[in-house]
Amino acid sequence: MLKSRKELDAELGGAARAWLDEALAEAAHDAARTTTASGTPHPEASPYASPPWELRYAAAGRHCGQENADSVRSLLLVEARAPLSSVTRLYEQGAAAERRAVLLTLHRLDLGDTALPLVEDALRANDTRLVAAAVGPYAADHLDPHAWRHAVLKCLFTEVPVAAVARLDDRARGDSELARMLGDFADERTAAGRAVPEDLRTVLALTAPADGGAHRATPTAAPAAPAPTEES
């Protein structure tokens, strides 16, 4: 969970707070320099030049502690009103922790659906930290139904708790195609002698039609044959 500036100030020591003050001031200065009064990119702003605050982004864990790095990086992105060029550069050039902070912050930036390639890239990875970050509010708002369903299955396959999926209740409700995909996934697990994740049952229940109908039941192990009686 990302921390607010107030929460960070309460936890950080003097040197770390001073570093954060300077970093956020640099980010705000760059935002003012590269955008017009209407909030659109300044025509002379280069999408290829890395502003100083991006160097601060990479160093956040070293100066403010790894436990605060996501929150500090998120604040920097928001303060800089980071454009697509910056978030793409920080994601593509960053380590996993830096990529995760980008994904966690996308919904706080004015990017529309232009950052979807970053979410799609994270969902192709097997790093569960990236998968969990990728299915946040930005994905809930912008992934199309087909891609969103596969994101849910990715969570089940990689054992990322479905609690990480933003707006799961809303998007899964009455989704018969998602129910079919979940049933197929459960069949495959059962046929391979593997347990069906409880999270799958949770999501399947959410897909139940609004009229109270039910989808086909999730496969379970076949019941044992009854013991023979004396008469047999």
Side-chain angles (χ1 to χ4, degrees):
M1 183 175 178
L2 297 175
K3 301 172 186 175
S4 67
R5 175 67 191 280
K6 183 177 180 180
E7 290 170 324
L8 284 171
D9 282 345
E11 295 183 20
L12 298 176
R17 281 199 306 274
W19 182 90
L20 180 56
D21 286 341
E22 293 174 0
L24 292 176
E26 284 183 1
H29 175 75
D30 188 66
R33 182 181 64 83
T34 58
T35 57
T36 65
S38 64
T40 58
H42 194 283
E44 297 181 2
S46 170
Y48 305 107
S50 299
W53 68 265
E54 290 189 16
L55 297 177
R56 301 272 193 172
Y57 182 92
R62 185 165 70 252
H63 289 276
C64 298
Q66 295 301 329
E67 70 279 10
N68 297 315
D70 281 345
S71 300
V72 170
R73 288 173 177 142
S74 182
L75 287 175
L76 281 170
L77 289 168
V78 172
E79 195 69 30
R81 285 178 269 170
L84 181 63
S85 57
S86 284
V87 296
T88 301
R89 183 164 48 242
L90 292 170
Y91 180 88
E92 291 180 345
Q93 298 179 2
E98 294 162 41
R99 293 184 172 198
R100 182 178 65 245
V102 167
L103 295 167
L104 291 172
T105 313
L106 289 178
H107 67 290
R108 299 184 174 187
L109 304 172
D110 186 18
L111 298 172
D113 63 1
T114 61
L116 273 177
L118 306 185
V119 172
E120 293 163 352
D121 179 82
L123 290 172
R124 288 192 293 268
N126 288 320
D127 187 327
T128 56
R129 298 170 301 172
L130 295 183
V131 174
V135 292
Y138 185 83
D141 289 340
H142 297 290
L143 279 180
D144 65 38
H146 178 76
W148 184 82
R149 292 177 189 122
H150 280 279
V152 173
L153 286 177
K154 178 75 173 191
C155 288
L156 294 172
F157 182 77
T158 58
E159 299 184 351
V160 169
V162 294
V165 181
R167 289 177 43 211
L168 177 63
D169 291 15
D170 292 339
R171 293 207 58 168
R173 186 174 296 119
D175 190 335
S176 59
E177 177 60 15
L178 176 59
R180 182 195 65 77
M181 294 168 69
L182 293 170
D184 290 346
F185 180 69
D187 286 345
E188 292 172 5
R189 300 275 295 197
T190 302
R194 302 179 65 188
V196 175
E198 191 59 38
D199 269 358
L200 185 147
R201 304 176 195 278
T202 298
V203 180
L204 187 62
L206 293 173
T207 67
D211 60 7
H215 300 303
R216 68 186 176 89
T218 306
T220 56
T229 62
E230 292 181 4
E231 293 157 349
S232 61

